[in-house]
Amino acid sequence: MKYYKVTARGGHVGSGNIIPLIFYFKAKDMHDAIKQARSMPCVKHDKPDAITNAKEISKEEYEQSINGYSAYDVYNNK
């Protein structure tokens, strides 16, 4: 397994507005990580530009970055 940081465009913040959502995934490849990100709540699933950035990260960065909160939790608790 590899580790990925994926930035996606989130919706439901007013007409024409987006919010960047950052997700961290353990996946077999980048395609699988992007697929997981597209299925997350609040991500603009059907838009071709829903994923703005995806990169492989180290296991250490992954472990430091996931602190029990997902981008979805942060988004909903503003």
Side-chain angles (χ1 to χ4, degrees), residues 15-64:
S15 179
N17 296 322
I18 61 137
I19 186 168
L21 300 171
I22 299 172
F23 298 99
Y24 296 90
F25 295 107
K26 238 193 302 192
K28 62 181 180 172
D29 58 23
M30 190 174 296
H31 179 72
D32 187 41
I34 289 171
K35 186 177 175 182
Q36 290 179 49
R38 279 190 176 273
S39 68
M40 296 300 289
C42 291
V43 172
K44 293 183 169 274
H45 313 287
D46 57 342
K47 301 289 184 185
D49 60 349
I51 305 302
T52 58
N53 191 15
K55 70 175 187 173
E56 188 174 341
I57 59 174
S58 67
K59 181 177 181 179
E60 293 77 25
E61 186 178 350
Y62 173 81
E63 289 173 347
Q64 289 174 354

